[in-house]
Amino acid sequence: RKLKENRMPVQGTPKNFLKQYKFIIECDRLGDTGFQKCSEFESDIEVNEYAEGGAIFNEKDAGRLSFTNITLNRGQTFDDNDMENWHLEAANAGDDIGGTGDSYKANMDISSQQRDGSEGRRYRLFQAWPKRVKVGPWDNSNSEHVFNEAEIAYNYGVRVVS
């Protein structure tokens, strides 16, 4: 069988990689909001190590599961105060001012969107809240937009498979 001159033979199955086009946040506290950047999702299992009597090596068992915080970045708008207000509510809950309890926590979905509008992946964060909010920097010597950065703490997260 002859190949056409300008064609390379296909070897294996081509991969369909996820594109990093757009991220959508769905949360009762924020509404549906787009972000430019979202940090990686990372989980870690603690290792419980122990030695049985007479063993020459340690046994290792899975321990507690922990999740790193997520950092979100987007352009700041004049009427965008939802994240800052939510952050202040969480700060007040830390002192239990007004007896808010855990009412400052909310579930949050983060989904990646492909250029054609289809959904790439979706992750659900449970009992999330903004640990840190940063607006700026303020520099009038350039023409860049002001960005809002938020670090989101959460108890645990899962990938949502549709």
Side-chain angles (χ1 to χ4, degrees), residues 29-88:
R29 304 305 298 262
L30 301 174
D32 295 350
T33 308
F35 280 80
Q36 183 182 8
K37 291 182 183 178
C38 177
S39 66
E40 64 276 353
F41 293 88
E42 184 178 344
S43 63
D44 186 48
I45 301 172
E46 183 180 291
V47 175
N48 293 327
E49 197 168 330
Y50 62 95
E52 291 286 339
I56 60 172
F57 59 89
N58 288 343
E59 296 285 333
K60 295 181 183 179
D61 288 334
R64 291 179 177 226
L65 179 63
S66 64
F67 296 88
T68 60
N69 296 340
I70 300 292
T71 302
L72 304 170
N73 294 61
R74 69 173 173 194
Q76 178 71 32
T77 61
F78 286 106
D79 58 351
D80 182 16
N81 297 316
D82 290 345
M83 188 69 78
E84 292 174 59
N85 292 338
W86 187 16
H87 177 69
L88 290 175

